[in-house]
Amino acid sequence: MKKGFTLAEVLMTLAIIGVVAAMTIPAMIHETNKNATIEQLKKSASTLNQAVYNATIMEGTVNSWNWSGKDGVLYIMQKIISPRLSVGYMCSGDALGTNSQCTYPIKSIKGEEIADQSFDVKTRVLLNDGSLVAFSKGFVTQSEVDDAQSDSSGDSNKTGSGCVWKGDPKALCGIFMVDVNGNKTPNMIGKDVFFFGLYASGSVLPYGAPQGEDFVERNCIEGSDGSTCAAKLAKNGWEVCYTGCNFPYPVKF
């Protein structure tokens, strides 16, 4: 009667286990990272929406806030929005005079480091869940500002250099940058760094979502700036598809 296993049999079994592990562990890690990122991303959207909603109760509608100049944006983030968030640390100083928790290199969806100058350090906060939130004024063209300033047909038309209201609830007032795991790597747009828009309606939505499918797709493909990748994930029901689909996601988790 044969007792136990020979050394050759043990080594062969270990080799098979090693091959299986090499094939399955990376996929498991990928799936875990993807699920954790998407869950945190959805949580961030809910958190920001609740903070803005609570702010409007006391401070009035979003389009009525003072969006003029850099100081207006700083005030809005520091005094109106941040008090409604679960903030663990308020960043201060400037890009060269603050700790690495607040400012660190951000990578594009190509993996290249990019200059991150749109979000003032003083608008950045670290939340107790480990995420970083920064804020900036919405992207508004000069023609939009000129149009709003020349239109004085009623109270619903708000002018200024920030939130151009003109009665359009889709007007983009501000932009949140969210790094779902703070300064932990990879700090890459579309992978752990995403953007949300604060719209005049008071809603916080993945940036670009109100602009439609073409805009979202154009700005979350290989070679783009990745600004609408949160919107692309939301549009796809928070599912990620890389191949064999109409709208492949450009970044691997």
Side-chain angles (χ1 to χ4, degrees):
M1 175 181 284
K2 182 179 178 180
K3 296 182 180 180
F5 298 97
T6 66
L7 178 59
E9 290 172 330
V10 171
L11 292 176
M12 182 175 292
T13 300
L14 292 176
I16 293 172
I17 293 173
V19 170
V20 173
M23 295 173 60
T24 59
I25 289 178
M28 292 172 60
I29 293 174
H30 166 271
E31 192 67 17
T32 299
N33 290 340
K34 182 195 74 172
N35 291 340
T37 297
I38 289 178
E39 287 306 311
Q40 183 60 45
L41 190 58
K42 291 192 288 186
K43 178 184 175 183
S44 296
S46 176
T47 297
L48 292 173
N49 267 294
Q50 188 63 50
V52 170
Y53 173 77
N54 290 338
T56 60
I57 294 175
M58 298 299 296
E59 305 290 342
T61 58
V62 169
N63 61 288
S64 70
W65 300 348
N66 178 17
W67 292 93
S68 298
K70 178 180 177 181
D71 289 343
V73 173
L74 292 177
Y75 181 86
I76 288 170
M77 185 58 179
Q78 293 177 350
K79 303 298 184 181
I80 296 180
I81 298 176
S82 291
R84 279 86 183 181
L85 296 171
S86 181
V87 174
Y89 182 75
M90 295 280 294
C91 300
S92 60
D94 54 39
L96 300 177
T98 188
N99 63 50
S100 60
Q101 288 182 295
C102 296
T103 58
Y104 43 84
I106 298 294
K107 296 178 181 178
S108 69
I109 61 175
K110 296 180 180 179
E112 302 168 344
E113 287 190 10
I114 57 177
D116 178 23
Q117 300 176 343
S118 300
F119 299 88
D120 192 289
V121 175
K122 295 177 183 178
T123 72
R124 303 179 183 214
V125 295
L126 299 174
L127 303 188
N128 286 325
D129 64 7
S131 61
L132 177 139
V133 176
F135 189 61
S136 77
K137 189 162 48 181
F139 303 131
V140 179
T141 65
Q142 187 59 48
S143 63
E144 288 176 311
V145 175
D146 293 340
D147 288 344
Q149 291 175 340
S150 64
D151 189 341
S152 56
S153 59
D155 292 339
S156 64
N157 295 292
K158 302 294 182 180
T159 63
S161 60
C163 183
V164 179
W165 171 237
K166 296 190 69 178
D168 180 8
K170 295 181 180 179
L172 180 66
C173 295
I175 296 177
F176 292 103
M177 178 179 74
V178 176
D179 190 330
V180 297
N181 58 356
N183 66 348
K184 296 179 181 178
T185 57
N187 307 130
M188 183 176 178
I189 293 175
K191 195 167 186 177
D192 60 346
V193 177
F194 300 90
F195 300 93
F196 290 87
L198 171 56
Y199 295 90
S201 63
S203 297
V204 178
L205 301 171
Y207 172 70
Q211 277 66 46
E213 189 173 276
D214 289 343
F215 182 83
V216 170
E217 180 63 20
R218 186 168 65 250
N219 291 284
C220 186
I221 57 175
E222 188 174 349
S224 71
D225 62 8
S227 58
T228 61
C229 284
K232 188 169 187 174
L233 289 171
K235 181 188 64 146
N236 289 334
W238 302 104
E239 293 294 329
V240 180
C241 174
Y242 296 116
T243 59
C245 49
N246 293 329
F247 306 106
Y249 196 71
V251 180
K252 294 285 187 179
F253 284 94

